[in-house]
Amino acid sequence: MTTLAAARHELSIANRILAHEQVFDSYGHVSLRHPEDASRFLLSASVSPEQVKPEDILEYGLDGQTLIATTRAQYSERVIHAEIYRQRPDVQAVVHAHTEAVLPFTVTSVKLRPLLHVAGIIGDDIPVWDMNHHFGDSDLLVTTTEHAQSLASTLGQGRVVLMRGHGFTAAAASLELAVRVAMYLKVNAQAQQAAMALGPVTFLSSGEIAAVNALMGSPKATSRVWDNWAQRCGAGTIMQGVS
Ligand SMILES: [Zn+2]
């Protein structure tokens, strides 16, 4: 199997993991920079994430346009991925989701901050991008390059940007790490809401977050986590025979 074929398989598994773990609902998408050409990325045609198969995955340029003409419906927010790959050469994978547990932190002044050691990878200071501040009243969908440039500039060099009344976008140096960041963003959001209902919360210190990232922030830090999630969503066997 070629590197590109393996990447298509891994990306379809990432879709299924994020759907099964309820980071995604019927919406949400995850992409991967092309393994052989940094000016391209891989993203599924418009299919619900738990249905994505390797053959659904299309190749895009960094302008968000498909490189081969297709009649397939496409995700309207694909420019999010394109612009982050364009602005961030270090990024290899991008997740965009509307995860329920994260949404309250997009519409209140309460900052989402890491309080679990495994969630230190989400970053020390997570910004919130409010589309209305930049573009006025809209349907809140990020569908133009101008929208995506504004979102990407708020993300800056970080891994996560929350989007007011919408969801979040995460970017990382590998597909495995991007999936892990999105997953623990959800877990941390749930734990933070539960903890705040009980009383004042002790968050990770900046030094603890740095130490966690030194250990767990590398692209392939915890392959057993990926393997376990893939098995749990029933996609583990898809990768059998792929090296
Ligand atoms: Zn969205």
Side-chain angles (χ1 to χ4, degrees), residues 13 26 34 40 42 44 47 49 66 71 80 87 111 124 134 149 162 168 172-173 175 177 203 217 223 227 229:
I13 290 173
S26 296
H34 193 293
R40 301 179 178 198
L42 307 175
S44 174
V47 176
T66 51
T71 57
I80 293 173
Q87 290 196 20
K111 282 201 65 109
D124 200 350
H134 304 278
Q149 284 174 343
L162 304 188
F168 74 89
L175 185 59
L177 184 55
F203 294 94
S223 61
D227 294 344
W229 288 339

Side-chain angles (χ1 to χ4, degrees), residues 25-42:
D25 50 12
S26 296
Y27 302 107
H29 21 89
V30 52
S31 67
L32 177 63
R33 199 186 286 270
H34 193 293
E36 295 157 355
D37 182 349
S39 69
R40 301 179 178 198
F41 68 96
L42 307 175

Side-chain angles (χ1 to χ4, degrees), residues 153-173:
S153 71
T154 301
L155 171 67
Q157 295 303 305
R159 288 204 181 119
V160 177
V161 57
L162 304 188
M163 301 160 72
R164 195 271 298 170
H166 184 160
F168 74 89
T169 297

Side-chain angles (χ1 to χ4, degrees), residues 66-87:
T66 51
L67 291 159
I68 299 168
T70 178
T71 57
R72 306 255 341 237
Q74 298 169 52
Y75 295 130
S76 63
E77 296 191 295
R78 58 190 181 277
V79 288
I80 293 173
H81 304 258
E83 187 59 26
I84 291 173
Y85 291 123
R86 208 180 63 75
Q87 290 196 20

